[in-house]
Amino acid sequence: MTGGPSDRAVLVERPGAARLVTRPRPEPGPGEVLVRVAAAGICLSDREVYEGRRAPGYVRYPVVPGHEWAGTVEAVGPGVDPGLAGRPCVAEGFRCCGSCERCRYGETSLCTAGYAETGFTEPGAFADRLLVPARLLHLLPYGSDLRAATLLEPAAVVAAAVRAGRPRPGERIAVVGAGTLGLLAVRWLAAHSPAGLTVIDPRAARADRALDFGASAALAPGEAAHGSFDLVVETAGAPTTAASSCLLARRGGRVVLTGMFGAGAAGIDPVHLSVSQLELRSVFGASSAAWADAVRAFAAGLLDPAPLVTHEFPLERFAEALDLVGGGDPAVGKVLLRP
C-alpha cells in the first residue's frame, strides 16, 4: 500500500469470515485521539461476533473487534488537549451521547440515543491503532502494566456490579462463575471484608483458582445451601444461573446479575422473588462512574488483574487465539492479542 502510513487490523467481514488487513492509518478528527494499542483481550462476546451469534442491533459488519484494551495516546485531533499525547490510557467502550436523560443521570451505559460500542459497531482494538473520543479516555499512571490494564473493561463491569450490590463488611457473599468476571469480582469483593466469600462453578479447577484471588470457599453447583448468602453476584451468564442465584440468596438478600444471558435461559420464579423479598439488580456494561472506580483501584495497586492473563498472541494468530476462548480448558484464562 502506498500514499501514507498503514496499519494492520483483524477484520470480521461477516460471520465466520475474518482476515488480517492492511489499511491506511486512522487520522484523529475533532475531539478524537489516536491510540497505539499495547494489547487487547478476547472475550466470549468477540467469539459471538465472529460466529454471528451476537444479538441483532449489537454488532455491525464488517467490524474490527476488540473492546478490552489498553494503549498509549499517539496523536490528538482538533480541539483535544495536546498534553494527552504519550499518556497511557484505556477508554470506555460505549459511545454515549452525554445529553440524553439516562446519560445526564449518570447511567451512560444505558444511553437512549442508540447503541454504539467500540469493537461491535465501531472499529475496535484488534489492530495496531484505534480512534476513540477523547472524552471517553481514562488516563493511567506512567509505567502502568498495560498488559494487565486490558482487563479494566471487565473490571469496570465488576465495579458496576459492586456498586449495585453494596457489599458490607461481615456479610456472606457468593460469586457464581469463576471466569474472568468472576475472578475479578472475587478480588474486588475480598477487599470489603466479608465473613465468607464463596465461589460456585462446575469446573473444579476454575473454582479452586478463586481461592488464590481471595475466596474462602469453592463449591460446585448444588453444594451451596439455598438461602445462605446476603449478596450473590452472578457472573456466568449460563442458562440456569440467574434462577439459581436467586435461590442462593437469603430472604431479604440481594442478587446482582452481570452475565449476558441468551434466549431460552431459565426464568426467575416470581413467587420466590416476592415472598423472599429479594432485591434484584442487573448490570449492562459499565457507567463512567464504574470505569472511574476500576481505574482508580488499578492505579492505586488495589486491583491487579495481571494473574488472569494466561496466553498472548500476535494479530496474525487471531484464529488460534479465538479457538482458545470458551473452549473449556481450565488452564486458559484471559487471552490477549499483541500488535
Side-chain angles (χ1 to χ4, degrees), residues 64-80:
V64 176
H67 61 286
E68 302 177 4
W69 61 269
T72 303
V73 177
E74 189 169 271
V76 304
V80 178

Side-chain angles (χ1 to χ4, degrees), residues 73-300:
V73 177
E74 189 169 271
V76 304
V80 178
D81 179 5
L84 292 177
R87 293 296 304 269
C89 66
V90 290
E92 298 171 32
F94 287 112
R95 306 291 182 94
C96 59
C97 72
S99 59
C100 71
E101 182 182 27
R102 290 298 90 204
C103 285
R104 297 288 288 177
Y105 197 73
E107 297 174 340
T108 52
S109 62
L110 303 180
C111 176
T112 60
Y115 172 76
E117 186 176 3
T118 300
F120 297 108
T121 65
E122 311 298 325
F126 292 173
D128 291 318
R129 292 168 179 81
L130 82 157
L131 293 174
V132 293
R135 62 186 174 83
L136 300 181
L137 285 182
H138 289 266
L139 301 178
L140 304 175
Y142 288 108
S144 292
D145 180 357
L146 296 184
R147 173 177 170 273
T150 59
L151 280 93
L152 282 174
E153 192 275 341
V157 175
V158 168
V162 171
R163 278 177 164 256
R166 307 184 314 280
R168 295 185 283 270
E171 288 194 315
R172 299 158 300 171
I173 301 176
V175 174
V176 177
T180 296
L181 282 179
L183 294 178
L184 285 170
V186 168
R187 185 80 93 184
W188 199 291
L189 291 164
H192 288 78
S193 303
L197 181 52
T198 301
V199 171
I200 300 168
D201 195 293
R203 303 163 296 181
R206 293 301 297 241
D208 288 343
R209 191 175 183 211
L211 300 174
D212 297 330
F213 284 76
S216 57
L219 302 177
E223 293 181 341
H226 289 179
S228 298
F229 301 98
D230 302 291
L231 170 64
V232 181
V233 178
E234 188 283 331
T235 68
T240 62
T241 51
S244 63
S245 293
C246 291
L247 296 176
L248 292 171
R250 64 163 172 82
R251 298 192 75 189
R254 308 182 305 283
V255 179
V256 182
L257 306 178
T258 67
M260 296 299 291
F261 298 94
I268 296 169
D269 181 359
V271 175
H272 175 75
L273 193 65
S274 60
V275 300
S276 296
Q277 194 175 301
L278 296 183
E279 180 181 331
L280 179 63
R281 292 285 305 273
S282 63
V283 168
F284 178 65
S287 67
S288 296
W291 267 95
D293 284 349
V295 170
R296 186 181 302 115
F298 176 78

